[in-house]
Amino acid sequence: MRLKDLRHKIMSALKYDRSLASKEIKSDCHSDSIPPTTCPKNPPKMVGGAFGKKTSRRAAIGLAGGGVGAAFAFSACSNMLDEETKDKLGLSWEEFFKKNYRLMTDQEKGETVKRIEKLAKVKNNEIINVSDTPAKDGVLFGYAFNISKCQGYMDCVEACVKENNQDRESNMQYINIFEMENGNLNIESGNSKYSHEVPVEGKFYLGTQCFHCEKAPCIEVCPVGATWKEPDGIVVVDYDWCIGCRYCEAACPYWGRRFNWGAPQIPNEELNTEQHYLGNRKRGKGVMEKCTFCIQRTRKGLQPACVDACPTGSRTFGNLLDPNSEIRYIIENKKVFRLKEDLGTEPKFWYYMD
Amino acid sequence: MTNLLFHFIKDGILHALKGSKLYFTWLISLVALIGIGVFAYSIQISEGLKVTGMTDHVSWGLYISNFTFFVGIAAAAVMLILPAYIFNDADFTKVALIGEGVAVSALIMCLSFVTVDLGSPEKVWHLIPKLGYFNWPNSMLAWDVLVLNGYLALNLLIPFYILFSHYRGKEANKKKYFPFILLSVFWAIAIHLVTAFLYAGLPARPFWNNALLGPRFLASAFAAGPAFILVILSVLDYSTGFKIQKRVISKLALVVAIAAQINLIMLGSEIFKEFYHPTEHSSSAIYLFFGLHGHSALVPWIWTAISMNIIATLMLSIHKLRENHKILMGLCIMLFLAIWIEKGMGLVVPGFIPSPIGEIVEYSPTLVEVGITTGILAGGMLVLTVLVKVAIGIELGTFRSDAKDAN
């Protein structure tokens, strides 16, 4: 039965493609060389300036090698396609052939952010605000977690899912809260699947997420450099550059990464529209994601959603380079520890107890 | 020259399409299986990898298991190339081309397996240096892309040169191709070591993070690979005019036996280390061999593999049994299957169980995964069939160029 459904979906997808292709054939001026005057009506304005501006090496290679895509792009002067479809195709084309975010100039970063906003509008009718705010000088983010205070309510988990636009269908979560037996700090004997009333007598609670390691094993294994550590210490993923090999997921000793096994589903009314390129913007099918310390919030000086949501005050986030910060106070004055310190990954996530 | 090249390719294709009814039945069944694979992949492309059994806990499965195993088969071609070209063993010179054919088909399977495993295959161009961002030398996966494609090029280039020379009725000039042979010998070792390092370099996964993984990969490859080649050679000997000398068979059988023995010693050493004083790091091995907290999906598989492995190795070590052709074939198939299970699913999947934070989620492949895998295996066999058919045609002199004045 499942196979049948799948086949139906495939067939409908094919139909959609064919309808596009037939429109393509009808257009009689699908080449660059034909002057615009031969178009039946005035050619609509090019979208995003892709074809008007000097062709970059990447775009040139893309055009030379492109098959179907190139045909779509060249159809820009056709009046058989309505403006909206052209917008979509042109923008998607430029998005597909853009660079790794780290290699982009500030101007290119700004352009892709604009394209993403525009695509969200024309494709899904979403008004979103994508930021590309860079790291601030003199900032290195760190996190502390008080295991004597946490009661296991999981408000943080819920807030994180909402803030970061995680896939609702697979119930993706960045944060795990482990219920642990008193007297045992071994996380492997903890239980993160509890669904009873908390807190339970004789237990304590410990949360994990991406620890934004200073020496992160996930970064070096990526074959395409799609994940890296930003100057403020946040380990990020370029969702548009990730090819989905999942080597980083295998390399993480803390199970901090999550993969989009299908296309993420988020109800429109629940979408968080305040987004960051390296943060909570919508991910595609088949790419990796993870906690970004809520980069879209923290680079604006706000606290991560999990910290804000915590009713017990177990979570502390701040700038490790600021000697007056609360996080520095905790590290200097409490008995702190980190998970699997023997691996030399240097997590920027400390646990402590009162 | 270009004209001749064109004729060579045309003749090759025409020759590959000639044969008995049985041969055609074989080709058509392979094409049908490839069709199933393509259909299954179309489902995976439209729905994403959620149609597989993989999860965030077990994030590699049947595809990467098969990839790992077939890298070994590709590397094992060196066991024919080494005696043929380096030690100048005349018996082996004739069959070395078959070994290279096996390597090419195994590599095509490997590259297909990694490609179907990608979540965003349309972005593979990100791997192309300059155009994309090739994270070399940091990422072992970048190394693997490099060595696999390099080895594929070598194994296409050398036989192509030799066969093309023979096609023109000329002897291949050994001086010209010998440096490449030498390179391919080291390269064969490299592809398998690099693939092992892909796993061994992850401290997050104690089951893989051990120094023995690389050598063990080589030993198992040099057992399973020549075992596979032995079966292929027997099939050719039986069904074509391409006769294989007894000496080649018995020498290769000895290679299989010795490699299988070394592999068993290493297996014993691993088992000792994991179980003499089990630590937290032994959880994966406990899961694999005995099950963990009631989860035991791999237990029947690994014990089947280990039993087959031990029986085949013991019997191969007895000269009388190994010299009997029928028994030898049985043992080769047995050993091949044993290592396929052990090095594929038995190595990749338990590495993920339990997860680094102690959770146990089991894995079993879905129909889509099995369909795609079958399609790729059939594709590999099709490539092998065509390559071997053409190579044998040229070597037996059934098809040659008529142009004698070619330069």
Coordinates of all heavy atoms in Angstrom, one line a residue, chain B residues 218-273:
Chain B
L218 N 42.3 -5.3 5.1 CA 43.2 -5.9 4.0 C 43.1 -7.4 4.0 O 42.9 -8.0 3.0 CB 44.6 -5.4 4.2 CG 44.9 -3.9 3.9 CD1 46.3 -3.6 4.2 CD2 44.6 -3.6 2.4
A219 N 43.2 -8.0 5.2 CA 43.2 -9.5 5.3 C 41.9 -10.0 4.8 O 41.9 -10.9 3.9 CB 43.5 -9.9 6.7
S220 N 40.8 -9.4 5.2 CA 39.5 -10.0 4.8 C 39.3 -9.7 3.3 O 38.7 -10.5 2.6 CB 38.4 -9.4 5.6 OG 38.3 -8.0 5.4
A221 N 39.8 -8.6 2.8 CA 39.7 -8.3 1.4 C 40.5 -9.3 0.5 O 40.0 -9.8 -0.5 CB 40.2 -6.9 1.0
F222 N 41.7 -9.6 1.0 CA 42.5 -10.5 0.2 C 42.0 -12.0 0.3 O 42.5 -12.9 -0.4 CB 44.0 -10.4 0.6 CG 44.5 -9.1 0.2 CD1 45.6 -8.5 0.9 CD2 44.0 -8.4 -0.9 CE1 46.1 -7.2 0.5 CE2 44.5 -7.1 -1.3 CZ 45.5 -6.6 -0.5
A223 N 41.1 -12.2 1.2 CA 40.4 -13.5 1.3 C 39.2 -13.5 0.4 O 39.0 -14.3 -0.5 CB 40.0 -13.9 2.7
A224 N 38.3 -12.5 0.6 CA 37.0 -12.5 -0.2 C 37.2 -12.2 -1.6 O 36.5 -12.7 -2.5 CB 36.1 -11.5 0.5
G225 N 38.1 -11.2 -1.9 CA 38.3 -10.8 -3.3 C 38.8 -11.9 -4.2 O 38.1 -12.3 -5.2
P226 N 39.9 -12.6 -3.9 CA 40.4 -13.7 -4.7 C 39.4 -14.8 -4.7 O 39.3 -15.5 -5.7 CB 41.7 -14.1 -4.1 CG 42.2 -12.8 -3.4 CD 41.0 -12.2 -2.9
A227 N 38.6 -15.0 -3.6 CA 37.6 -16.1 -3.6 C 36.6 -15.8 -4.7 O 36.2 -16.7 -5.5 CB 37.0 -16.2 -2.3
F228 N 36.2 -14.5 -4.8 CA 35.2 -14.1 -5.8 C 35.8 -14.3 -7.2 O 35.2 -14.8 -8.1 CB 34.9 -12.6 -5.6 CG 33.9 -12.1 -6.6 CD1 32.6 -12.5 -6.6 CD2 34.3 -11.1 -7.5 CE1 31.7 -11.9 -7.5 CE2 33.4 -10.6 -8.4 CZ 32.1 -11.0 -8.4
I229 N 37.1 -13.9 -7.4 CA 37.7 -14.0 -8.7 C 37.9 -15.5 -9.1 O 37.6 -15.9 -10.3 CB 39.1 -13.3 -8.7 CG1 38.9 -11.8 -8.5 CG2 39.9 -13.6 -9.9 CD1 40.2 -11.0 -8.3
L230 N 38.1 -16.4 -8.1 CA 38.2 -17.8 -8.4 C 36.9 -18.3 -8.9 O 36.9 -19.1 -9.9 CB 38.6 -18.6 -7.1 CG 40.0 -18.8 -6.8 CD1 40.2 -19.5 -5.4 CD2 40.6 -19.7 -7.9
V231 N 35.8 -17.9 -8.4 CA 34.5 -18.3 -8.9 C 34.3 -17.8 -10.3 O 33.9 -18.6 -11.2 CB 33.4 -17.9 -7.9 CG1 32.0 -18.2 -8.5 CG2 33.6 -18.5 -6.5
I232 N 34.6 -16.6 -10.5 CA 34.5 -16.0 -11.9 C 35.3 -16.8 -12.9 O 34.8 -17.2 -14.0 CB 34.9 -14.5 -11.9 CG1 34.1 -13.7 -10.9 CG2 34.8 -13.9 -13.3 CD1 32.7 -13.3 -11.4
L233 N 36.6 -17.1 -12.5 CA 37.5 -17.8 -13.4 C 36.9 -19.2 -13.8 O 37.0 -19.6 -14.9 CB 38.9 -17.9 -12.8 CG 39.7 -16.6 -12.7 CD1 41.0 -16.9 -12.1 CD2 39.8 -16.0 -14.0
S234 N 36.3 -19.9 -12.8 CA 35.8 -21.2 -13.0 C 34.6 -21.1 -14.0 O 34.4 -21.9 -14.8 CB 35.3 -21.8 -11.7 OG 36.3 -21.9 -10.8
V235 N 33.8 -20.1 -13.8 CA 32.6 -19.9 -14.7 C 33.1 -19.7 -16.1 O 32.6 -20.3 -17.0 CB 31.8 -18.7 -14.2 CG1 30.7 -18.4 -15.2 CG2 31.1 -19.0 -12.9
L236 N 34.2 -18.9 -16.2 CA 34.7 -18.6 -17.6 C 35.3 -19.9 -18.2 O 35.1 -20.2 -19.3 CB 35.8 -17.5 -17.5 CG 35.3 -16.1 -17.1 CD1 36.5 -15.1 -17.0 CD2 34.2 -15.6 -18.0
D237 N 36.0 -20.6 -17.3 CA 36.7 -21.8 -17.8 C 35.6 -22.8 -18.3 O 35.8 -23.5 -19.3 CB 37.4 -22.4 -16.6 CG 38.3 -23.6 -17.1 OD1 39.2 -23.4 -17.9 OD2 38.0 -24.8 -16.7
Y238 N 34.5 -22.8 -17.6 CA 33.4 -23.8 -17.9 C 32.6 -23.3 -19.1 O 32.2 -24.1 -20.0 CB 32.5 -23.9 -16.7 CG 31.3 -24.8 -16.9 CD1 31.4 -26.2 -16.8 CD2 30.0 -24.2 -17.1 CE1 30.3 -27.0 -17.0 CE2 28.9 -25.0 -17.2 CZ 29.1 -26.4 -17.2 OH 28.0 -27.2 -17.4
S239 N 32.4 -22.0 -19.3 CA 31.4 -21.6 -20.3 C 32.0 -20.9 -21.5 O 31.3 -20.6 -22.4 CB 30.4 -20.6 -19.6 OG 31.1 -19.5 -19.2
T240 N 33.3 -20.7 -21.5 CA 33.9 -20.0 -22.7 C 35.1 -20.8 -23.1 O 35.6 -21.8 -22.4 CB 34.4 -18.6 -22.4 OG1 35.5 -18.6 -21.5 CG2 33.3 -17.8 -21.8
G241 N 35.7 -20.4 -24.2 CA 37.0 -21.0 -24.7 C 38.2 -20.6 -23.9 O 39.3 -21.0 -24.2
F242 N 38.0 -19.7 -23.0 CA 39.1 -19.1 -22.2 C 39.5 -20.0 -21.1 O 38.8 -20.1 -20.0 CB 38.6 -17.7 -21.7 CG 39.7 -16.9 -21.1 CD1 40.6 -16.2 -21.9 CD2 39.8 -16.6 -19.7 CE1 41.6 -15.4 -21.4 CE2 40.8 -15.8 -19.2 CZ 41.7 -15.2 -20.0
K243 N 40.5 -20.8 -21.3 CA 40.8 -21.9 -20.4 C 41.8 -21.4 -19.3 O 42.8 -20.7 -19.6 CB 41.4 -23.1 -21.1 CG 40.4 -23.8 -22.0 CD 39.2 -24.3 -21.2 CE 38.0 -24.6 -22.1 NZ 36.7 -24.6 -21.4
I244 N 41.5 -21.7 -18.1 CA 42.3 -21.3 -17.0 C 43.2 -22.4 -16.5 O 42.7 -23.5 -16.3 CB 41.4 -20.8 -15.8 CG1 40.3 -19.9 -16.2 CG2 42.3 -20.2 -14.7 CD1 40.7 -18.6 -16.7
Q245 N 44.5 -22.1 -16.4 CA 45.4 -23.2 -16.0 C 45.2 -23.6 -14.5 O 44.9 -22.7 -13.7 CB 46.8 -22.8 -16.2 CG 47.3 -23.1 -17.6 CD 48.4 -22.2 -18.0 OE1 48.3 -20.9 -17.8 NE2 49.5 -22.7 -18.4
K246 N 45.4 -24.9 -14.2 CA 45.2 -25.4 -12.9 C 46.1 -24.7 -11.9 O 45.7 -24.4 -10.7 CB 45.5 -26.9 -12.9 CG 44.3 -27.8 -13.0 CD 44.3 -28.9 -12.0 CE 43.0 -29.2 -11.4 NZ 42.2 -30.1 -12.2
R247 N 47.3 -24.3 -12.4 CA 48.3 -23.7 -11.5 C 47.8 -22.4 -10.9 O 48.0 -22.0 -9.8 CB 49.6 -23.5 -12.2 CG 50.4 -24.8 -12.3 CD 51.8 -24.5 -12.9 NE 52.5 -23.4 -12.1 CZ 53.2 -22.4 -12.6 NH1 53.4 -22.4 -13.9 NH2 53.8 -21.5 -11.9
V248 N 47.1 -21.6 -11.8 CA 46.5 -20.3 -11.4 C 45.5 -20.5 -10.3 O 45.6 -19.9 -9.3 CB 45.9 -19.6 -12.6 CG1 45.1 -18.4 -12.2 CG2 46.9 -19.3 -13.7
I249 N 44.6 -21.5 -10.5 CA 43.6 -21.8 -9.5 C 44.2 -22.2 -8.2 O 43.9 -21.6 -7.2 CB 42.7 -22.9 -10.0 CG1 42.0 -22.6 -11.4 CG2 41.7 -23.3 -9.0 CD1 40.9 -21.6 -11.2
S250 N 45.2 -23.1 -8.2 CA 45.7 -23.5 -6.9 C 46.6 -22.5 -6.2 O 46.5 -22.4 -5.0 CB 46.5 -24.8 -7.1 OG 47.6 -24.6 -7.9
K251 N 47.2 -21.6 -7.0 CA 48.0 -20.5 -6.4 C 47.0 -19.5 -5.7 O 47.2 -19.1 -4.6 CB 48.8 -19.8 -7.4 CG 50.2 -20.4 -7.6 CD 51.0 -19.5 -8.6 CE 52.3 -20.3 -9.0 NZ 52.9 -19.6 -10.1
L252 N 46.0 -19.2 -6.5 CA 45.0 -18.2 -5.9 C 44.3 -18.8 -4.7 O 44.1 -18.1 -3.7 CB 44.0 -17.9 -7.0 CG 44.1 -16.6 -7.8 CD1 42.9 -16.4 -8.6 CD2 44.2 -15.4 -6.8
A253 N 44.0 -20.1 -4.8 CA 43.4 -20.7 -3.6 C 44.2 -20.7 -2.4 O 43.8 -20.5 -1.3 CB 43.0 -22.2 -4.0
L254 N 45.6 -20.8 -2.6 CA 46.5 -20.7 -1.5 C 46.4 -19.3 -0.9 O 46.4 -19.1 0.3 CB 47.9 -21.0 -2.0 CG 48.9 -21.2 -0.9 CD1 48.6 -22.4 0.0 CD2 50.3 -21.4 -1.4
V255 N 46.4 -18.3 -1.8 CA 46.3 -16.9 -1.3 C 45.0 -16.7 -0.5 O 45.1 -16.1 0.6 CB 46.2 -15.9 -2.5 CG1 45.8 -14.5 -2.1 CG2 47.6 -15.9 -3.3
V256 N 43.9 -17.2 -1.0 CA 42.7 -17.1 -0.2 C 42.8 -17.8 1.2 O 42.4 -17.2 2.2 CB 41.5 -17.8 -1.0 CG1 40.2 -17.8 -0.1 CG2 41.3 -17.1 -2.3
A257 N 43.4 -19.0 1.2 CA 43.5 -19.7 2.4 C 44.4 -18.9 3.5 O 44.0 -18.8 4.6 CB 44.2 -21.1 2.2
I258 N 45.5 -18.4 3.0 CA 46.4 -17.7 3.9 C 45.8 -16.4 4.4 O 45.8 -16.1 5.6 CB 47.8 -17.4 3.3 CG1 48.5 -18.7 3.0 CG2 48.6 -16.5 4.1 CD1 49.7 -18.6 2.1
A259 N 45.2 -15.7 3.5 CA 44.5 -14.4 3.9 C 43.4 -14.7 4.9 O 43.2 -14.0 5.9 CB 44.0 -13.7 2.7
A260 N 42.6 -15.8 4.7 CA 41.5 -16.2 5.6 C 42.1 -16.5 6.9 O 41.5 -16.2 8.0 CB 40.7 -17.3 5.0
Q261 N 43.2 -17.2 7.0 CA 43.8 -17.6 8.3 C 44.2 -16.3 9.0 O 43.9 -16.2 10.2 CB 45.1 -18.5 8.1 CG 44.7 -19.9 7.6 CD 45.9 -20.6 7.0 OE1 47.0 -20.0 6.9 NE2 45.7 -21.8 6.6
I262 N 44.9 -15.4 8.3 CA 45.3 -14.2 9.0 C 44.1 -13.4 9.5 O 44.1 -12.9 10.6 CB 46.1 -13.3 8.0 CG1 47.4 -14.0 7.6 CG2 46.5 -11.9 8.7 CD1 48.2 -13.3 6.6
N263 N 43.1 -13.4 8.7 CA 41.8 -12.7 9.1 C 41.2 -13.3 10.4 O 40.8 -12.6 11.3 CB 40.8 -12.8 7.9 CG 39.5 -12.0 8.2 OD1 39.6 -10.9 8.8 ND2 38.4 -12.5 7.8
L264 N 41.3 -14.6 10.5 CA 40.7 -15.3 11.7 C 41.6 -14.9 12.9 O 41.0 -14.7 14.0 CB 40.7 -16.8 11.5 CG 39.4 -17.4 10.9 CD1 39.5 -18.9 11.1 CD2 38.2 -16.8 11.6
I265 N 42.9 -14.9 12.7 CA 43.7 -14.5 13.9 C 43.4 -13.1 14.4 O 43.2 -12.9 15.6 CB 45.2 -14.6 13.5 CG1 45.6 -16.0 13.1 CG2 46.1 -14.0 14.6 CD1 47.0 -16.1 12.5
M266 N 43.2 -12.2 13.4 CA 42.8 -10.8 13.9 C 41.4 -10.8 14.5 O 41.2 -10.1 15.5 CB 42.9 -9.9 12.6 CG 44.3 -9.7 12.1 SD 44.3 -8.5 10.9 CE 45.9 -8.6 10.3
L267 N 40.5 -11.6 14.0 CA 39.2 -11.7 14.6 C 39.3 -12.1 16.0 O 38.7 -11.6 16.9 CB 38.3 -12.6 13.7 CG 36.9 -12.8 14.3 CD1 36.0 -11.6 14.3 CD2 36.2 -14.0 13.5
G268 N 40.1 -13.2 16.2 CA 40.3 -13.7 17.5 C 40.9 -12.7 18.5 O 40.4 -12.5 19.6
S269 N 41.8 -11.9 18.0 CA 42.4 -10.9 18.8 C 41.4 -9.8 19.2 O 41.4 -9.3 20.3 CB 43.6 -10.3 17.9 OG 43.9 -9.0 18.4
E270 N 40.6 -9.4 18.2 CA 39.5 -8.4 18.5 C 38.6 -9.0 19.6 O 38.2 -8.2 20.5 CB 38.7 -8.1 17.3 CG 39.3 -6.9 16.5 CD 38.5 -6.5 15.3 OE1 37.5 -7.2 14.9 OE2 38.8 -5.4 14.8
I271 N 38.1 -10.2 19.4 CA 37.2 -10.8 20.3 C 37.8 -10.9 21.7 O 37.1 -10.6 22.7 CB 36.7 -12.2 19.8 CG1 35.8 -11.9 18.6 CG2 35.9 -12.9 20.9 CD1 35.3 -13.2 18.0
F272 N 39.1 -11.2 21.8 CA 39.7 -11.3 23.1 C 39.7 -9.9 23.8 O 39.3 -9.8 24.9 CB 41.2 -11.7 22.9 CG 42.0 -11.6 24.2 CD1 41.9 -12.6 25.2 CD2 42.8 -10.5 24.4 CE1 42.6 -12.5 26.4 CE2 43.5 -10.4 25.6 CZ 43.4 -11.4 26.6
K273 N 40.1 -8.9 23.0 CA 40.2 -7.5 23.6 C 38.8 -7.1 24.1 O 38.7 -6.5 25.1 CB 40.7 -6.6 22.6 CG 40.9 -5.2 23.0 CD 40.0 -4.3 22.3 CE 39.9 -2.9 22.8 NZ 38.8 -2.1 22.2

